[in-house]
Amino acid sequence: MANEEFYQEAVQAILDSDRATAEDVATRALAAGLTPADIMQNGFVKGIQEIGELFDSGEVFLPELMMAADAMAGATEVTNAALLSAGGAAEAKGKVVIGTVQGDVHDIGKAIVIAYLKANGYEVTDLGRDVAAATFISKAKELSADIIGMSALLTTTMEEQKKVIKVLKEEGLPFKTVVGGAPATQRWADQIGADAYAEDANDGVKKMDALLGK
Ligand code: B12
């Protein structure tokens, strides 16, 4: 089967909110030699973006969006497991604490970022979603983290990224910060004084490598 057919099946599985098929397509695509990044970026991510657009234009509603997200989560579990079994560096490059900011429950992108980081030799602590600014900071202190990663998918919750960075600066804490999520941009990162902005999981690894001189 051509790669393009897998991509189309992946998009369709998300549009159909069909978790079992999404997991099956992911498994078959990996067995056929596609990389987790290929099938995610060209297939499943396109599907969830299409659903997002349909939601935006009022053609689908929250229950459908939630079911599509569930199918996406199934596909992500399959591809992330493949990434992790392929990775595994001997010595950790650095410690990252990562979470989705307070008020925000979007965590599909964060799960992908975590898998990429782990596959690329980072020790990662997932703080989950709806994480308060104080928790990012106390966990980073407790674990002596190198980097705090913050995901925000809503224009309203982006402000939480700013809040964390403000406290870090006020307290003179040394943790590097990386922000991501659909509404974040390099401009936003500069505006709030983040050390880096990452547009996707791969870019996240690159930016963190650069911050730590790896
Ligand atoms: C799936 C989804 C949901 C699911 C989330 C399920 C889950 N477990 O995550 C559910 C159904 C729960 C949901 C709920 C809501 N959603 Co929603 N949702 C989406 C949707 C369709 C896809 C998001 C997604 O998973 N994308 C795929 C992943 C792979 O991409 P990503 O998250 O951007 O992550 C990548 C990069 O950004 C980056 N990255 C992300 N974070 C980080 C962090 C770091 C450190 C790094 C390095 C990189 C990085 O790397 C990732 C991988 O490459 C988007 C539309 C869109 N196009 O984004 C809307 C969207 C984000 N949702 C939206 C809205 C409005 C809502 C609700 C308010 C709806 C409602 N009326 O209740 C609620 C909010 C609930 C809350 N308080 O958080 C709006 C936001 C509008 C805005 N500008 O603020 C969007 C844009 C849809 C739209 N067009 O209107 N949603």
Side-chain angles (χ1 to χ4, degrees):
M1 193 157 131
N3 293 2
E4 197 52 46
E5 290 176 53
F6 281 117
Y7 301 151
Q8 278 170 15
E9 273 197 45
V11 170
Q12 197 57 46
I14 300 302
L15 294 178
D16 293 343
S17 298
D18 184 344
R19 183 172 179 139
T21 302
E23 288 173 357
D24 179 58
V25 175
T27 307
R28 285 189 288 112
L30 294 173
L34 273 78
T35 65
D38 279 343
I39 186 65
M40 264 294 147
Q41 283 310 122
N42 301 314
F44 295 112
V45 168
K46 290 231 165 87
I48 198 78
Q49 281 168 348
E50 267 187 50
I51 288 281
E53 281 158 25
L54 294 172
F55 176 72
D56 214 12
S57 59
E59 286 164 78
V60 305
F61 298 97
L62 195 57
E64 288 118 303
L65 185 60
M66 289 175 80
M67 284 165 65
D70 183 55
M72 182 75 187
T76 308
E77 275 172 29
V78 174
T79 54
N80 282 359
L83 262 178
L84 292 179
S85 64
E91 195 185 323
K93 277 188 194 167
K95 278 189 201 168
V96 180
V97 295
I98 187 168
T100 302
V101 298
Q102 190 158 40
D104 201 323
V105 302
H106 295 86
D107 63 359
I108 294 170
K110 172 174 68 65
I112 297 175
V113 173
I114 291 173
Y116 269 65
L117 288 172
K118 287 186 176 169
N120 283 280
Y122 281 90
E123 190 180 320
V124 185
T125 302
D126 182 9
L127 305 180
R129 49 194 190 177
D130 193 15
V131 178
T135 308
F136 277 105
I137 293 167
S138 65
K139 278 286 169 190
K141 281 185 188 165
E142 181 190 321
L143 299 165
S144 303
D146 300 297
I147 298 176
I148 297 179
M150 289 174 277
S151 184
L153 265 286
L154 299 171
T155 41
T156 46
T157 58
M158 291 168 82
E159 286 297 320
E160 288 291 316
Q161 296 177 329
K162 183 174 171 182
K163 202 162 150 187
V164 172
I165 292 167
K166 185 165 174 274
V167 177
L168 289 177
K169 297 214 185 296
E170 278 167 5
E171 295 187 10
L173 292 165
F175 313 114
K176 303 277 185 207
T177 50
V178 181
V179 293
T185 56
Q186 183 60 54
R187 192 156 168 232
W188 169 247
D190 293 342
Q191 196 184 321
I192 64 175
D195 293 296
Y197 155 71
E199 66 171 337
D200 57 28
N202 195 30
D203 192 33
V205 172
K206 282 196 209 150
K207 296 286 168 63
M208 291 192 194
D209 283 354
L211 284 175
L212 301 182
K214 303 287 171 184

